[in-house]
Amino acid sequence: IFFVSKWPFTRVKILIRIRKERACSKSEQNIESLFQQHATGVGSAAYPQGRDEVARQLQLIAMEPQAVQNRDDLFVWPWMGVLVNVPTEWKNGRHVGESGNRLKEKLSCFCPQKVIPLWNYRGHTGNAIVEFGKDWTAFNNALAFENHFESEGYGKLDWKAYKHRRPGMFGWVARSDDQKYPGPIGDYLHKNGDLKTIADVENEEARKTNKLVANLASQIEVKRRHVEELECKYNETTTSLDMIMEQKDQLLRAYNEEIHKMQQLARRHSQRIIDENQKLRSELESKMQNLDLRSKQLDELVARSESDRRNLEHEKEKNGVKTKHLKMATLVQQRADENVLKLVEKHKLEKQVALDKIIKLEQQLDAKQKLELEIKQLQGKLEVMKHMPGEEDSESKKRIDELSEELQDKYDEMDAMESLYHTLLIKERKSNDELQDARKKLIDGLQTITTGRANIGIKRMGELDLKSLAIACGRKLSKEDAEVTAAILCSKWEADIKKPEWHPFRVVMVNGKKRELISEDDAKLQTLREEYGEEVYSLVTKALLEVNEYNPHGRYAVPELWNYKEGRKATLKEALQHVLKQWRTHKRKR
């Protein structure tokens, strides 16, 4: 739209290029039919040039627009053609002739919208109006229609010269004199068309284009402001969430410190029990040793006297009883030791369970916000208050009611925040989709109209720059050898870059995020650097990084809006300002 409005005089050339493919493909099919149609209407003798001339004209129509001799000529708009001397015959008391559809088929190579035969009370008048449409493609078709009949000697001037003395249809583009001419032709043209010059039509389209551009710019500005508002709200929400996460981390640290203190207390308690049991075991062993020594001494005294022997036996019995009691105490001590070990194992299991719970809690806390943590705390407080022993007094009931009310408020606040977050997320995605769609259309438009080197343009990301390669090679080679070498390198490395199995990248962590960088150990790249130098190596690795960023799966170059002055991706606002600036510049030149 911008390009057509800026160069209205070349608009016909642009539009004929758009329909060039269609016209070329249709021309081969219609050459034969066009030749037969006109041969039927005026006789084969009226076309001495024959089939080759018709084909040549159709090719010219498809490739270039027809010239306008005078831009101030008044044409009938929508563009129309006049057909006269259409063959008719007298039948059933009136003139009859070919229908509009039949005539349209004969003229199909000029793409008419419809053909309207003109009738009166006597029947077919032998005249018809060919309607082409309102755009520049239709105007070009109308000129091709007129030029074809003029080249065959059946134009407007020929009709005025020969009138009815020559068979066959005559045709030309309808102008002001045709509209003012009395009769069915003039009446139809006056009723269904207006008189306009080429400049009039161009000015009207330029006015419509200006209005469309202004509306688009206004809509984009509204969208931009809306996106800024959403970003502001999003930043506020993010800040609030960061504060919540910081508070959550503080609570988690306090909880971990408390768990650590409890674990240290449990370890000290277990160690104290173990030390006490060890001390008791040592004392028992010492007493048993003393008893054994005493038994040996008593055995030695047995032989000394019988009376002493009885005393000794009695003493032995007492010692036996004591030994039995000591053994039982030892068994009890062993069982106590086993219980202590079991208690230690139990403490270890409880510690592991507590650590597992801590890990699980950390995962849950990472996935939730401060509100959920506060809800858990309030629920815990309520449970404690409800299960406290003793009768509840009014102060406890009041505290429970306050906690319940605060818990409900937190639930409501969490629901509201989640609803707001989802709403903002949906709006942001929708606005982002609209901006991406506008960016894609702007890229498509700039690809067709961008000429020369401008500050804002289209850069194919991942494509090697042949000119830069030639300059780099020229530092070591002659100019001719550098150009040939650069062309070979460009072809080879573009093919290598497109290969999905070649992935010369390594993954590193940057600010907690994974990032792919060029692997300097890659054999291909090392060989390239050694043979052609650092500059060629940098150009190839730059293209590799671009294709890995913009199209890692397809591995082919993609277009992107680019700010060549600053060497970065251009924003949508910069691209629109550039287009408007170019359009105003060409408008002033006009």
Side-chain angles (χ1 to χ4, degrees):
I1 293 173
F2 299 153
F3 184 70
V4 172
S5 67
K6 288 186 287 187
W7 296 284
F9 188 69
T10 60
R11 207 176 268 153
V12 175
K13 288 187 178 181
I14 298 165
L15 293 172
I16 198 61
R17 286 173 188 154
I18 295 174
R19 61 181 294 272
K20 179 178 177 182
E21 270 191 14
R22 185 182 66 185
C24 287
S25 63
K26 289 177 64 179
S27 62
E28 295 181 358
Q29 302 173 1
N30 293 333
I31 288 173
E32 184 68 24
S33 63
L34 180 63
F35 182 81
Q36 292 177 355
Q37 290 165 6
H38 288 285
T40 303
V42 299
S44 60
Y47 292 90
Q49 286 112 358
R51 187 189 316 270
D52 294 336
E53 178 64 19
V54 175
R56 183 183 66 80
Q57 291 180 9
L58 285 173
Q59 291 173 355
L60 289 174
I61 291 169
M63 293 175 63
E64 294 294 338
Q66 304 299 316
V68 181
Q69 295 179 353
N70 190 351
R71 289 174 56 81
D72 296 327
D73 284 351
L74 287 170
F75 292 88
V76 177
W77 186 88
W79 318 114
M80 299 186 189
V82 178
L83 275 179
V84 299
N85 208 29
V86 178
T88 61
E89 59 180 342
W90 184 263
K91 188 175 181 180
N92 297 329
R94 62 183 302 179
H95 291 285
V96 295
E98 292 184 332
S99 66
N101 290 334
R102 180 62 179 166
L103 291 172
K104 182 179 177 181
E105 290 178 2
K106 288 184 177 182
L107 300 172
S108 61
C109 57
F110 305 110
C111 305
Q113 290 185 350
K114 58 182 177 179
V115 179
I116 301 96
L118 300 179
W119 299 73
N120 60 14
Y121 66 95
R122 294 183 178 179
H124 201 299
T125 63
N127 303 320
I129 300 298
V130 183
E131 294 186 356
F132 291 97
K134 297 181 179 181
D135 56 21
W136 292 110
T137 302
F139 179 69
N140 190 72
N141 292 333
L143 290 180
F145 164 82
E146 181 178 72
N147 291 340
H148 170 72
F149 278 94
E150 284 181 355
S151 66
E152 299 297 336
Y154 286 85
K156 188 173 185 178
L157 296 178
D158 300 306
W159 168 248
K160 291 180 178 179
Y162 292 101
K163 294 287 183 179
H164 298 284
R165 294 175 305 209
R166 185 175 180 184
M169 293 186 295
F170 293 75
W172 60 86
V173 177
R175 292 177 171 81
S176 59
D177 56 341
D178 298 306
Q179 190 187 47
K180 297 174 182 178
Y181 190 80
I185 294 177
D187 293 342
Y188 185 89
L189 295 177
H190 182 75
K191 183 179 179 181
N192 295 282
D194 299 322
L195 293 178
K196 293 185 179 181
T197 64
I198 299 298
D200 293 337
V201 178
E202 289 175 347
N203 291 335
E204 184 177 352
E205 287 199 354
R207 180 183 59 79
K208 292 179 180 178
T209 301
N210 292 340
K211 185 177 179 181
L212 178 59
V213 171
N215 289 337
L216 287 174
S218 176
Q219 291 177 11
I220 290 172
E221 182 62 21
V222 171
K223 295 290 183 184
R224 184 189 64 76
R225 291 178 181 175
H226 184 58
V227 169
E228 288 180 353
E229 291 178 0
L230 291 178
E231 287 179 352
C232 182
K233 292 181 180 178
Y234 174 78
N235 291 334
E236 291 176 357
T237 304
T238 303
T239 304
S240 176
L241 291 176
D242 289 340
M243 292 176 62
I244 290 171
M245 293 303 294
E246 185 178 355
Q247 293 175 1
K248 179 267 295 182
D249 291 337
Q250 292 176 356
L251 290 173
L252 184 59
R253 284 195 295 270
Y255 177 80
N256 289 337
E257 290 175 359
E258 189 66 24
I259 291 295
H260 183 65
K261 290 179 181 178
M262 291 174 62
Q263 290 174 350
Q264 288 181 340
L265 245 137
R267 282 197 296 269
R268 287 197 295 267
H269 182 66
S270 300
Q271 188 63 42
R272 187 170 64 252
I273 293 173
I274 292 172
D275 293 342
E276 290 177 356
N277 289 334
Q278 185 66 33
K279 183 179 179 181
L280 291 173
R281 187 180 294 108
S282 299
E283 291 177 356
L284 287 173
E285 289 177 355
S286 176
K287 289 182 178 181
M288 288 183 67
Q289 290 175 359
N290 292 332
L291 289 173
D292 290 337
L293 181 60
R294 182 64 177 166
S295 296
K296 289 179 181 179
Q297 291 174 354
L298 291 174
D299 289 337
E300 291 175 357
L301 295 175
V302 169
R304 295 183 181 177
S305 114
E306 186 65 24
S307 59
D308 293 337
R309 181 181 65 80
R310 286 195 296 270
N311 293 333
L312 289 172
E313 287 179 358
H314 182 68
E315 188 70 22
K316 278 184 177 181
E317 289 177 1
K318 290 182 178 179
N319 290 336
V321 172
K322 291 181 180 181
T323 302
K324 184 177 179 181
H325 290 165
L326 288 173
K327 288 182 179 179
M328 289 178 65
T330 302
L331 290 175
V332 171
Q333 183 63 36
Q334 290 177 352
R335 290 174 185 172
D337 292 341
E338 291 175 359
N339 291 334
V340 169
L341 292 175
K342 289 180 181 179
L343 182 61
V344 171
E345 291 296 326
K346 182 179 179 182
H347 281 307
K348 288 183 179 179
L349 290 175
E350 289 177 352
K351 175 183 174 182
Q352 185 63 40
V353 171
L355 290 174
D356 293 340
K357 288 182 178 180
I358 290 171
I359 294 172
K360 186 176 180 181
L361 181 60
E362 289 176 348
Q363 294 173 349
Q364 291 175 349
L365 288 174
D366 288 336
K368 296 180 181 179
Q369 310 302 329
K370 177 192 173 185
L371 292 176
E372 294 179 346
L373 183 60
E374 291 180 351
I375 288 170
K376 292 292 183 181
Q377 291 175 345
L378 290 173
Q379 288 176 341
K381 290 179 181 179
L382 281 175
E383 290 297 324
V384 171
M385 295 296 295
K386 290 178 180 179
H387 292 87
M388 285 181 65
E391 297 182 356
E392 298 182 355
D393 54 11
S394 59
E395 187 66 27
S396 299
K397 290 182 179 180
K398 182 178 179 181
R399 180 59 179 164
I400 291 173
D401 293 338
E402 290 176 356
L403 290 175
S404 300
E405 185 178 354
E406 186 177 356
L407 179 61
Q408 186 60 43
D409 291 341
K410 296 300 179 182
Y411 275 125
D412 296 339
E413 186 178 353
M414 182 179 68
D415 294 339
M417 184 170 290
E418 288 182 354
S419 176
L420 175 61
Y421 174 75
H422 288 300
T423 302
L424 291 176
L425 185 62
I426 291 170
K427 289 183 178 179
E428 182 186 11
R429 287 177 179 173
K430 184 177 179 182
S431 298
N432 188 55
D433 291 342
E434 292 175 354
L435 289 175
Q436 290 301 323
D437 185 55
R439 188 180 187 91
K440 183 178 179 183
K441 290 182 179 178
L442 192 57
I443 289 174
D444 294 339
L446 284 176
Q447 282 183 309
T448 60
I449 68 173
T450 300
T451 57
R453 187 80 169 185
N455 290 338
I456 304 296
I458 303 300
K459 180 181 179 183
R460 294 185 61 78
M461 308 306 292
E463 188 173 75
L464 284 173
D465 188 351
L466 181 60
K467 185 177 179 180
S468 299
L469 278 175
I471 293 172
C473 294
R475 305 190 193 284
K476 295 183 178 180
L477 304 172
S478 63
K479 184 177 180 181
E480 294 181 357
D481 292 342
E483 291 177 353
V484 173
T485 304
I488 294 173
L489 285 174
C490 186
S491 176
K492 174 185 180 303
W493 284 98
E494 281 187 347
D496 287 341
I497 289 172
K498 292 178 181 178
K499 293 178 180 179
E501 63 271 12
W502 187 49
H503 193 75
F505 294 94
R506 58 188 176 89
V507 179
V508 297
M509 297 298 293
V510 179
N511 295 328
K513 294 182 180 180
K514 292 183 179 179
R515 184 178 177 185
E516 289 188 335
L517 300 178
I518 294 294
S519 176
E520 297 181 356
D521 298 333
D522 185 77
K524 284 186 179 181
L525 294 177
Q526 286 182 345
T527 304
L528 176 68
R529 176 183 277 176
E530 293 171 358
E531 291 182 0
Y532 297 99
E534 190 68 30
E535 192 171 354
V536 174
Y537 171 82
S538 298
L539 291 171
V540 173
T541 53
K542 180 182 178 183
L544 268 169
L545 289 171
E546 288 177 352
V547 81
N548 193 55
E549 178 182 358
Y550 285 87
N551 191 9
H553 300 293
R555 304 280 290 199
Y556 55 83
V558 295
E560 180 58 274
L561 291 173
W562 195 256
N563 188 324
Y564 286 98
K565 184 177 181 181
E566 299 182 10
R568 59 171 175 79
K569 185 168 74 172
T571 63
L572 188 60
K573 181 179 180 180
E574 290 173 339
L576 286 173
Q577 288 175 345
H578 170 73
V579 171
L580 289 173
K581 181 180 178 182
Q582 294 295 321
W583 175 75
R584 293 192 184 103
T585 301
H586 288 283
K587 183 179 180 183
R588 284 195 296 269
K589 289 181 180 179
R590 242 180 64 205

